[in-house]
């Protein structure tokens, strides 16, 4: 697919003037009075979870920063366990300058351990101007802004094969109850309805969160995310019952429950959009499109498209998001370059670099939606922006990692057990509460 080149319209001086000197949005490099680039000779180290296509596309953002400022960049992939890797690098005297943190809970942990520097006034003003307040809230600890959300995801999208729905004679549903009916009709046509990535516990937390946000509402969602109410609350049990209706129907799941438990996230996308389809739909975030397009050659919007996760019962349609926040480490060796980089990331220009490549959406309201390379991705980004302060960040990412972000433990493991046997939601809620209480108690002691 041809990628659309995008030139950002001129932005406010607040969002564009790097601390090093003013430059027109999308214009030339930031220079010193003598004509040299201000950060020439410095090397900025950025750590993050990205690899493969994501790392390649982020490198283009880094290259743009280098072109503007002269600072060289070095990206270090941490793998999924960001906190452990970064902690060891700090202890070893080799701290990166900037870390792209994928979980609110980890950002809060870093701040409480006194690892982070508050962002500059210039960056904070850019966030105030270009982001819904909810994003500033998720990047702040004790009233100080530490994290800038550069990359976000819309995790309230259900991706489907139009051919599969056409074969079953159904249209995309508008309610959760309709989605189950559509799923049963697809299954009756000879193709299981959903590919569920049960091998990756984080996908199961996303299923729960969308149902819970819609069914219980944002206030309860916020309380549960902070563990202000227990996981044994009746609203949790009710959401598990709703999820269990799907999980208990083997005809609805590609390979049944056992098949789902042995399917990872990329495999779930392959089951819908691969050369031999084994399911009609797969629930996950907008990043499904990148795999469907890059790995299986699907044309997004034509033979791979989505509908928004539908509202449950009398609730509103949920908008759950994830995202990666850039933070500056106190122990980094290039503080000036790090702060300049943060100010650059706050601009629509920085977001446009990755947006044109795909596999990315930005919570930055200043980014023209025309930056996105296809209409489907543009629609997911618009949905996220339009949701404003009703967006809720992935709940498991707000929790201590021991509960919400560890493979084979906590919420991931307990929901995998629930997928294996969804017959007792009350017992599952009790197991979730026991694990959450332990994790939050340990985190608060730390």
């Amino acid at each position: 697919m041809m990628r659309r080149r995008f030139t950002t319209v001129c932005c406010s001086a607040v969002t564009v003037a790097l601390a090093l000197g003013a430059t027109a949005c999308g214009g030339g490099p930031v220079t010193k009075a003598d004509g040299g680039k201000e950060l020439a000779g410095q090397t900025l180290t950025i750590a993050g979870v990205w690899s493969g296509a994501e790392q390649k596309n982020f490198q283009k953002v880094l290259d743009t920063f280098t072109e503007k400022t002269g600072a060289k960049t070095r990206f270090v992939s941490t793998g999924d366990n960001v906190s452990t890797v970064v902690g060891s690098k700090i202890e070893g005297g080799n701290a990166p300058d900037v870390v792209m943190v994928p979980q609110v809970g980890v950002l809060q942990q870093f701040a409480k351990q006194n690892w982070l520097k508050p962002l500059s006034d210039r960056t904070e003003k850019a966030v105030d101007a270009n982001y819904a307040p909810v994003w500033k809230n998720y990047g702040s600890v004790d009233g100080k802004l530490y994290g800038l959300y550069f990359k976000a995801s819309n995790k309230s999208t259900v991706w489907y094969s139009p051919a599969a729905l056409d074969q079953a004679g159904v249209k995309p549903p508008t309610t959760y109850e309709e989605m189950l009916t559509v799923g049963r009709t697809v299954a009756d046509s000879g193709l299981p309805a959903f590919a569920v990535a049960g091998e990756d516990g984080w996908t199961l937390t996303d299923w729960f969160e969308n149902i819970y946000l819609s069914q219980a509402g944002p206030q309860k969602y916020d309380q549960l995310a902070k563990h202000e109410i227990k996981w044994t609350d009746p609203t949790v049990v009710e959401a598990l019952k709703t999820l269990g209706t799907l999980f208990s129907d083997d005809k609805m799941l590609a390979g049944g429950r056992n098949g789902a438990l042995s399917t990872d996230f990329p495999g779930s996308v392959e089951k819908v959009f691969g050369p031999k389809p084994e399911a009609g739909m797969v629930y996950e975030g907008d990043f499904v499109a990148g795999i469907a397009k890059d790995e299986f050659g699907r044309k997004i919007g034509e033979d791979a498209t989505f509908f928004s996760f539908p509202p449950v019962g009398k609730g509103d349609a949920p908008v759950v998001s994830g995202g990666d926040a850039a933070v500056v480490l106190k122990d980094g060796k290039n503080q000036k370059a790090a702060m300049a980089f943060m100010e650059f990331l706050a601009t629509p220009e920085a977001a446009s670099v990755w947006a044109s490549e795909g596999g990315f959406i930005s919570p930055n309201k200043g980014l023209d939606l025309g930056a996105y390379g296809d209409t489907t991705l543009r629609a997911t980004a618009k949905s996220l922006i339009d949701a404003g302060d009703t967006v809720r960040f992935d709940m498991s990412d707000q929790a201590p990692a021991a509960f919400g972000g560890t493979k084979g433990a906590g919420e991931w493991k307990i929901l995998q057990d629930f997928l294996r046997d969804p017959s007792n939601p009350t017992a599952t809620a009790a197991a979730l509460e026991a694990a959450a209480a332990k994790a939050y108690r340990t985190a608060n002691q730390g």
Side-chain angles (χ1 to χ4, degrees):
M1 183 182 76
M2 289 184 63
R3 292 187 174 92
R4 177 176 175 178
R5 299 185 66 84
F6 176 72
T7 303
T8 320
V9 296
C10 194
C11 314
S12 69
V14 164
T15 60
V16 178
L18 306 179
L20 319 172
T23 178
C25 187
V30 179
T31 57
K32 297 187 293 187
D34 62 4
K37 292 182 180 179
E38 185 70 27
L39 296 176
Q42 295 195 36
T43 298
L44 187 70
T45 301
I46 304 98
V49 300
W50 298 321
S51 60
E54 286 185 310
Q55 182 179 339
K56 180 180 178 182
N57 288 333
F58 184 56
Q59 186 61 50
K60 293 178 182 179
V61 178
L62 299 180
D63 292 344
T64 302
F65 178 70
T66 296
E67 182 182 347
K68 296 180 74 67
T69 65
K72 295 180 179 179
T73 62
R74 184 171 71 94
F75 182 80
V76 178
S77 186
T78 62
D80 290 335
N81 204 344
V82 177
S83 57
T84 300
V85 172
V86 171
S88 65
K89 286 185 176 295
I90 290 174
E91 290 177 8
N94 190 31
D97 301 297
V98 172
V99 181
M100 308 302 295
V101 179
Q103 294 171 311
V104 174
V106 174
L107 186 152
Q108 293 171 343
Q109 173 192 333
F110 283 10
K112 289 175 181 177
Q113 289 173 307
N114 201 30
W115 288 358
L116 304 182
K117 288 198 66 153
L119 303 187
S120 68
D121 289 344
R122 194 183 298 275
T123 300
E124 186 165 0
K125 288 177 182 177
V127 170
D128 288 338
N130 286 333
Y131 288 74
V134 66
W135 294 101
K136 183 176 183 180
N137 180 54
Y138 284 132
S140 299
V141 179
D142 296 332
K144 293 182 180 179
L145 180 63
Y146 292 102
L148 169 75
Y149 278 91
F150 177 65
K151 183 178 188 289
S153 60
N154 184 338
K155 302 183 85 172
S156 296
T157 52
V158 181
W159 293 82
Y160 68 95
S161 163
L165 268 61
D166 288 346
Q167 178 181 311
V170 293
K171 296 184 180 299
T174 57
T175 68
Y176 187 82
E177 293 73 18
E178 282 182 17
M179 185 170 74
L180 295 184
T181 300
V182 165
R184 293 185 186 104
T185 306
V186 171
D188 289 343
S189 75
L191 190 68
F194 288 97
V196 173
E199 185 178 318
D200 289 329
W202 60 268
T203 68
L204 305 182
T205 71
D206 292 345
W207 270 103
F208 171 82
E209 288 157 6
N210 276 275
I211 290 171
Y212 190 81
L213 177 56
S214 181
Q215 198 170 55
Q219 183 177 358
K220 284 284 190 180
Y221 186 97
D222 291 343
Q223 290 174 334
L224 187 60
K226 298 174 184 176
H227 202 220
E228 293 175 353
I229 59 174
K230 293 184 177 182
W231 282 79
T232 48
D233 190 89
T235 57
V236 175
V237 176
E238 187 64 23
L240 288 170
K241 287 180 180 177
T242 300
L243 182 56
T245 302
L246 171 63
F247 284 177
S248 62
D249 190 344
D250 266 1
K251 283 181 62 179
M252 294 269 273
L253 309 179
R257 279 170 282 170
N258 288 336
L261 284 163
S262 61
T263 301
D264 63 9
F265 167 63
S268 71
V269 180
E270 182 176 6
K271 285 182 185 296
V272 178
F273 300 114
K276 296 181 179 180
E278 299 176 47
M281 295 176 278
V282 57
Y283 157 67
E284 250 313 328
D286 55 82
F287 37 84
V288 167
I291 298 176
K293 177 172 73 75
D294 296 338
E295 299 295 327
F296 306 115
R298 297 298 181 178
K299 292 183 179 179
I300 306 304
E302 295 183 22
D303 50 9
T305 190
F306 78 97
F307 56 86
S308 296
F309 198 102
V312 183
K314 297 180 180 179
D316 295 326
V319 182
V320 176
S321 180
D324 297 89
V327 299
V328 175
L329 294 188
K330 280 185 174 181
D331 288 353
K333 297 178 176 61
N334 292 288
Q335 298 288 309
K336 183 178 180 181
M339 285 298 176
F341 183 63
M342 301 298 283
E343 291 163 16
F344 172 65
L345 288 186
T347 67
E349 179 189 5
S352 75
V353 175
W354 194 337
S356 65
E357 299 297 326
F360 170 93
I361 62 175
S362 170
N364 192 320
K365 296 183 293 184
L367 176 62
D368 190 317
L369 291 173
Y372 294 101
D374 63 72
T375 57
T376 303
L377 191 59
R378 201 170 299 144
T380 64
K382 185 177 187 301
S383 176
L384 183 74
I385 294 295
D386 288 350
D389 257 13
T390 67
V391 171
R392 287 299 182 271
F393 205 92
D394 184 304
M395 189 187 296
S396 62
D397 284 353
Q398 298 185 56
F403 177 65
T406 301
K407 186 175 181 178
E411 189 180 2
W412 292 16
K413 173 64 164 58
I414 294 166
L415 288 180
Q416 286 173 323
D417 292 341
F418 181 67
L419 171 59
R420 185 176 291 108
D421 178 9
S423 64
N424 196 337
T426 301
T428 298
L432 287 164
E433 172 55 27
K438 180 180 179 181
Y440 279 89
R441 184 166 56 249
T442 301
N444 290 334
Q445 288 172 351

